[in-house]
Amino acid sequence: MKNNYFILSFFFILLIACTNKNKSKDNVISSKDSLSSYLSLANDIRLPLKSKQQYNQKAFEIIIAQKDDSINKVNLFKIANRYYNMNDWKGYFDTSKLILERSKNSNDTANIAKSYTYLGDYYTAKSISDSAFLCYFKAEKLYVKIGNNYNLIRGNTKHTL
């Protein structure tokens, strides 16, 4: 009888030990999955504005905790785009300024130019023409400098219509 308890106890401990290891791997995967889920939910037109803002904030918290690299900036631009789609101008402006600062710190000319374009869009939405022009002008100079004719042309046609 003692032998049966010993075997049963051994399998029970083994089962618990195996499930704990799997949980830690699931947490790493779920963080990546939750970022894409939060970004998707923040862009869902069927959800109320408050819910979309909360999902966007959760995605922002995940992104801001990650290493500042090119993928991080791509994800921050996604956050800014969600704010733009929600007409949340404060969130859009703050995120665009953050991307600009980080891009300047890493001498990332392409993302500096894109950040200036986003800021120009913010000032255009707020009807602050002189600031919008200045941001678009800075972006244009940088696009010329790096030879990015696509965004240079796209920016010029976007703002002359």
PDB file of all heavy atoms in Angstrom, residues 33-54:
ATOM      1  N   ASP A  33       1.795  38.107 -28.408  1.00  0.00           N
ATOM      2  CA  ASP A  33       0.442  37.955 -28.916  1.00  0.00           C
ATOM      3  C   ASP A  33      -0.454  39.094 -28.428  1.00  0.00           C
ATOM      4  O   ASP A  33      -1.282  39.598 -29.182  1.00  0.00           O
ATOM      5  CB  ASP A  33      -0.158  36.612 -28.479  1.00  0.00           C
ATOM      6  CG  ASP A  33       0.490  35.428 -29.168  1.00  0.00           C
ATOM      7  OD1 ASP A  33       1.135  35.645 -30.207  1.00  0.00           O
ATOM      8  OD2 ASP A  33       0.343  34.305 -28.663  1.00  0.00           O
ATOM      9  N   SER A  34      -0.281  39.484 -27.171  1.00  0.00           N
ATOM     10  CA  SER A  34      -1.135  40.530 -26.630  1.00  0.00           C
ATOM     11  C   SER A  34      -0.857  41.869 -27.301  1.00  0.00           C
ATOM     12  O   SER A  34      -1.781  42.652 -27.500  1.00  0.00           O
ATOM     13  CB  SER A  34      -0.991  40.638 -25.112  1.00  0.00           C
ATOM     14  OG  SER A  34       0.327  40.943 -24.752  1.00  0.00           O
ATOM     15  N   LEU A  35       0.385  42.143 -27.689  1.00  0.00           N
ATOM     16  CA  LEU A  35       0.676  43.388 -28.392  1.00  0.00           C
ATOM     17  C   LEU A  35      -0.104  43.469 -29.694  1.00  0.00           C
ATOM     18  O   LEU A  35      -0.795  44.459 -29.954  1.00  0.00           O
ATOM     19  CB  LEU A  35       2.176  43.530 -28.665  1.00  0.00           C
ATOM     20  CG  LEU A  35       2.583  44.745 -29.494  1.00  0.00           C
ATOM     21  CD1 LEU A  35       2.155  46.035 -28.815  1.00  0.00           C
ATOM     22  CD2 LEU A  35       4.071  44.730 -29.751  1.00  0.00           C
ATOM     23  N   SER A  36      -0.053  42.425 -30.487  1.00  0.00           N
ATOM     24  CA  SER A  36      -0.797  42.449 -31.745  1.00  0.00           C
ATOM     25  C   SER A  36      -2.305  42.471 -31.492  1.00  0.00           C
ATOM     26  O   SER A  36      -3.047  43.135 -32.219  1.00  0.00           O
ATOM     27  CB  SER A  36      -0.408  41.259 -32.637  1.00  0.00           C
ATOM     28  OG  SER A  36      -0.708  40.045 -32.007  1.00  0.00           O
ATOM     29  N   SER A  37      -2.749  41.795 -30.435  1.00  0.00           N
ATOM     30  CA  SER A  37      -4.179  41.824 -30.092  1.00  0.00           C
ATOM     31  C   SER A  37      -4.606  43.217 -29.664  1.00  0.00           C
ATOM     32  O   SER A  37      -5.643  43.721 -30.109  1.00  0.00           O
ATOM     33  CB  SER A  37      -4.478  40.842 -28.956  1.00  0.00           C
ATOM     34  OG  SER A  37      -4.239  39.528 -29.365  1.00  0.00           O
ATOM     35  N   TYR A  38      -3.804  43.855 -28.822  1.00  0.00           N
ATOM     36  CA  TYR A  38      -4.139  45.202 -28.367  1.00  0.00           C
ATOM     37  C   TYR A  38      -4.158  46.189 -29.533  1.00  0.00           C
ATOM     38  O   TYR A  38      -5.053  47.041 -29.620  1.00  0.00           O
ATOM     39  CB  TYR A  38      -3.156  45.688 -27.304  1.00  0.00           C
ATOM     40  CG  TYR A  38      -3.270  44.982 -25.966  1.00  0.00           C
ATOM     41  CD1 TYR A  38      -2.149  44.789 -25.174  1.00  0.00           C
ATOM     42  CD2 TYR A  38      -4.487  44.521 -25.487  1.00  0.00           C
ATOM     43  CE1 TYR A  38      -2.240  44.152 -23.939  1.00  0.00           C
ATOM     44  CE2 TYR A  38      -4.583  43.879 -24.265  1.00  0.00           C
ATOM     45  CZ  TYR A  38      -3.448  43.698 -23.497  1.00  0.00           C
ATOM     46  OH  TYR A  38      -3.543  43.068 -22.285  1.00  0.00           O
ATOM     47  N   LEU A  39      -3.172  46.080 -30.423  1.00  0.00           N
ATOM     48  CA  LEU A  39      -3.140  46.981 -31.585  1.00  0.00           C
ATOM     49  C   LEU A  39      -4.349  46.758 -32.484  1.00  0.00           C
ATOM     50  O   LEU A  39      -4.937  47.709 -33.005  1.00  0.00           O
ATOM     51  CB  LEU A  39      -1.845  46.798 -32.369  1.00  0.00           C
ATOM     52  CG  LEU A  39      -0.576  47.346 -31.707  1.00  0.00           C
ATOM     53  CD1 LEU A  39       0.662  46.892 -32.474  1.00  0.00           C
ATOM     54  CD2 LEU A  39      -0.634  48.855 -31.589  1.00  0.00           C
ATOM     55  N   SER A  40      -4.729  45.511 -32.655  1.00  0.00           N
ATOM     56  CA  SER A  40      -5.894  45.193 -33.475  1.00  0.00           C
ATOM     57  C   SER A  40      -7.177  45.721 -32.836  1.00  0.00           C
ATOM     58  O   SER A  40      -8.013  46.330 -33.505  1.00  0.00           O
ATOM     59  CB  SER A  40      -5.974  43.679 -33.680  1.00  0.00           C
ATOM     60  OG  SER A  40      -7.102  43.349 -34.433  1.00  0.00           O
ATOM     61  N   LEU A  41      -7.326  45.504 -31.546  1.00  0.00           N
ATOM     62  CA  LEU A  41      -8.521  45.975 -30.845  1.00  0.00           C
ATOM     63  C   LEU A  41      -8.587  47.502 -30.798  1.00  0.00           C
ATOM     64  O   LEU A  41      -9.667  48.080 -30.866  1.00  0.00           O
ATOM     65  CB  LEU A  41      -8.559  45.409 -29.428  1.00  0.00           C
ATOM     66  CG  LEU A  41      -8.856  43.905 -29.347  1.00  0.00           C
ATOM     67  CD1 LEU A  41      -8.546  43.369 -27.954  1.00  0.00           C
ATOM     68  CD2 LEU A  41     -10.301  43.623 -29.726  1.00  0.00           C
ATOM     69  N   ALA A  42      -7.440  48.153 -30.720  1.00  0.00           N
ATOM     70  CA  ALA A  42      -7.419  49.617 -30.699  1.00  0.00           C
ATOM     71  C   ALA A  42      -7.855  50.204 -32.032  1.00  0.00           C
ATOM     72  O   ALA A  42      -8.215  51.371 -32.112  1.00  0.00           O
ATOM     73  CB  ALA A  42      -6.014  50.117 -30.349  1.00  0.00           C
ATOM     74  N   ASN A  43      -7.854  49.397 -33.071  1.00  0.00           N
ATOM     75  CA  ASN A  43      -8.238  49.847 -34.411  1.00  0.00           C
ATOM     76  C   ASN A  43      -9.623  49.338 -34.819  1.00  0.00           C
ATOM     77  O   ASN A  43     -10.058  49.576 -35.931  1.00  0.00           O
ATOM     78  CB  ASN A  43      -7.188  49.373 -35.418  1.00  0.00           C
ATOM     79  CG  ASN A  43      -6.850  50.427 -36.428  1.00  0.00           C
ATOM     80  OD1 ASN A  43      -7.022  51.610 -36.197  1.00  0.00           O
ATOM     81  ND2 ASN A  43      -6.351  49.993 -37.566  1.00  0.00           N
ATOM     82  N   ASP A  44     -10.301  48.643 -33.914  1.00  0.00           N
ATOM     83  CA  ASP A  44     -11.606  48.043 -34.209  1.00  0.00           C
ATOM     84  C   ASP A  44     -12.703  49.110 -34.139  1.00  0.00           C
ATOM     85  O   ASP A  44     -12.998  49.635 -33.064  1.00  0.00           O
ATOM     86  CB  ASP A  44     -11.892  46.921 -33.216  1.00  0.00           C
ATOM     87  CG  ASP A  44     -13.099  46.083 -33.576  1.00  0.00           C
ATOM     88  OD1 ASP A  44     -13.953  46.556 -34.364  1.00  0.00           O
ATOM     89  OD2 ASP A  44     -13.199  44.949 -33.085  1.00  0.00           O
ATOM     90  N   ILE A  45     -13.314  49.410 -35.274  1.00  0.00           N
ATOM     91  CA  ILE A  45     -14.311  50.485 -35.336  1.00  0.00           C
ATOM     92  C   ILE A  45     -15.606  50.135 -34.594  1.00  0.00           C
ATOM     93  O   ILE A  45     -16.408  51.011 -34.311  1.00  0.00           O
ATOM     94  CB  ILE A  45     -14.631  50.877 -36.799  1.00  0.00           C
ATOM     95  CG1 ILE A  45     -15.195  49.683 -37.567  1.00  0.00           C
ATOM     96  CG2 ILE A  45     -13.414  51.446 -37.477  1.00  0.00           C
ATOM     97  CD1 ILE A  45     -15.699  50.025 -38.950  1.00  0.00           C
ATOM     98  N   ARG A  46     -15.788  48.857 -34.264  1.00  0.00           N
ATOM     99  CA  ARG A  46     -17.010  48.446 -33.557  1.00  0.00           C
ATOM    100  C   ARG A  46     -16.935  48.717 -32.057  1.00  0.00           C
ATOM    101  O   ARG A  46     -17.947  48.683 -31.373  1.00  0.00           O
ATOM    102  CB  ARG A  46     -17.278  46.963 -33.798  1.00  0.00           C
ATOM    103  CG  ARG A  46     -17.532  46.624 -35.267  1.00  0.00           C
ATOM    104  CD  ARG A  46     -17.554  45.151 -35.478  1.00  0.00           C
ATOM    105  NE  ARG A  46     -16.188  44.655 -35.231  1.00  0.00           N
ATOM    106  CZ  ARG A  46     -15.825  43.396 -35.261  1.00  0.00           C
ATOM    107  NH1 ARG A  46     -16.710  42.466 -35.493  1.00  0.00           N
ATOM    108  NH2 ARG A  46     -14.580  43.038 -35.040  1.00  0.00           N
ATOM    109  N   LEU A  47     -15.739  48.994 -31.556  1.00  0.00           N
ATOM    110  CA  LEU A  47     -15.570  49.219 -30.117  1.00  0.00           C
ATOM    111  C   LEU A  47     -15.762  50.696 -29.772  1.00  0.00           C
ATOM    112  O   LEU A  47     -15.469  51.569 -30.598  1.00  0.00           O
ATOM    113  CB  LEU A  47     -14.170  48.774 -29.676  1.00  0.00           C
ATOM    114  CG  LEU A  47     -13.876  47.285 -29.750  1.00  0.00           C
ATOM    115  CD1 LEU A  47     -12.428  47.010 -29.384  1.00  0.00           C
ATOM    116  CD2 LEU A  47     -14.807  46.509 -28.828  1.00  0.00           C
ATOM    117  N   PRO A  48     -16.205  50.970 -28.552  1.00  0.00           N
ATOM    118  CA  PRO A  48     -16.316  52.369 -28.130  1.00  0.00           C
ATOM    119  C   PRO A  48     -14.938  53.021 -27.997  1.00  0.00           C
ATOM    120  O   PRO A  48     -13.935  52.334 -27.770  1.00  0.00           O
ATOM    121  CB  PRO A  48     -17.004  52.298 -26.767  1.00  0.00           C
ATOM    122  CG  PRO A  48     -17.090  50.873 -26.397  1.00  0.00           C
ATOM    123  CD  PRO A  48     -16.692  50.038 -27.566  1.00  0.00           C
ATOM    124  N   LEU A  49     -14.908  54.330 -28.127  1.00  0.00           N
ATOM    125  CA  LEU A  49     -13.656  55.082 -28.093  1.00  0.00           C
ATOM    126  C   LEU A  49     -12.855  54.793 -26.832  1.00  0.00           C
ATOM    127  O   LEU A  49     -11.640  54.572 -26.899  1.00  0.00           O
ATOM    128  CB  LEU A  49     -13.940  56.585 -28.203  1.00  0.00           C
ATOM    129  CG  LEU A  49     -12.736  57.509 -28.097  1.00  0.00           C
ATOM    130  CD1 LEU A  49     -11.770  57.261 -29.254  1.00  0.00           C
ATOM    131  CD2 LEU A  49     -13.174  58.957 -28.070  1.00  0.00           C
ATOM    132  N   LYS A  50     -13.500  54.771 -25.695  1.00  0.00           N
ATOM    133  CA  LYS A  50     -12.799  54.549 -24.417  1.00  0.00           C
ATOM    134  C   LYS A  50     -12.085  53.195 -24.408  1.00  0.00           C
ATOM    135  O   LYS A  50     -10.934  53.109 -23.972  1.00  0.00           O
ATOM    136  CB  LYS A  50     -13.811  54.634 -23.262  1.00  0.00           C
ATOM    137  CG  LYS A  50     -13.185  54.603 -21.910  1.00  0.00           C
ATOM    138  CD  LYS A  50     -12.499  55.902 -21.612  1.00  0.00           C
ATOM    139  CE  LYS A  50     -11.991  55.898 -20.181  1.00  0.00           C
ATOM    140  NZ  LYS A  50     -11.093  56.993 -19.920  1.00  0.00           N
ATOM    141  N   SER A  51     -12.713  52.167 -24.930  1.00  0.00           N
ATOM    142  CA  SER A  51     -12.089  50.831 -24.986  1.00  0.00           C
ATOM    143  C   SER A  51     -10.889  50.844 -25.917  1.00  0.00           C
ATOM    144  O   SER A  51      -9.834  50.280 -25.600  1.00  0.00           O
ATOM    145  CB  SER A  51     -13.096  49.786 -25.458  1.00  0.00           C
ATOM    146  OG  SER A  51     -14.132  49.650 -24.531  1.00  0.00           O
ATOM    147  N   LYS A  52     -11.042  51.488 -27.074  1.00  0.00           N
ATOM    148  CA  LYS A  52      -9.929  51.554 -28.029  1.00  0.00           C
ATOM    149  C   LYS A  52      -8.742  52.298 -27.424  1.00  0.00           C
ATOM    150  O   LYS A  52      -7.598  51.889 -27.609  1.00  0.00           O
ATOM    151  CB  LYS A  52     -10.379  52.206 -29.335  1.00  0.00           C
ATOM    152  CG  LYS A  52     -11.380  51.375 -30.101  1.00  0.00           C
ATOM    153  CD  LYS A  52     -11.605  51.848 -31.506  1.00  0.00           C
ATOM    154  CE  LYS A  52     -12.278  53.178 -31.591  1.00  0.00           C
ATOM    155  NZ  LYS A  52     -12.641  53.553 -32.962  1.00  0.00           N
ATOM    156  N   GLN A  53      -9.016  53.354 -26.683  1.00  0.00           N
ATOM    157  CA  GLN A  53      -7.939  54.103 -26.040  1.00  0.00           C
ATOM    158  C   GLN A  53      -7.232  53.248 -24.989  1.00  0.00           C
ATOM    159  O   GLN A  53      -6.007  53.293 -24.869  1.00  0.00           O
ATOM    160  CB  GLN A  53      -8.478  55.385 -25.408  1.00  0.00           C
ATOM    161  CG  GLN A  53      -8.849  56.429 -26.430  1.00  0.00           C
ATOM    162  CD  GLN A  53      -9.543  57.631 -25.811  1.00  0.00           C
ATOM    163  OE1 GLN A  53     -10.332  57.496 -24.868  1.00  0.00           O
ATOM    164  NE2 GLN A  53      -9.269  58.799 -26.353  1.00  0.00           N
ATOM    165  N   GLN A  54      -7.994  52.467 -24.243  1.00  0.00           N
ATOM    166  CA  GLN A  54      -7.403  51.590 -23.232  1.00  0.00           C
ATOM    167  C   GLN A  54      -6.532  50.518 -23.876  1.00  0.00           C
ATOM    168  O   GLN A  54      -5.433  50.229 -23.387  1.00  0.00           O
ATOM    169  CB  GLN A  54      -8.500  50.951 -22.383  1.00  0.00           C
ATOM    170  CG  GLN A  54      -9.176  51.925 -21.450  1.00  0.00           C
ATOM    171  CD  GLN A  54     -10.387  51.334 -20.751  1.00  0.00           C
ATOM    172  OE1 GLN A  54     -10.932  50.310 -21.157  1.00  0.00           O
ATOM    173  NE2 GLN A  54     -10.833  51.993 -19.683  1.00  0.00           N
TER     174      GLN A  54
END
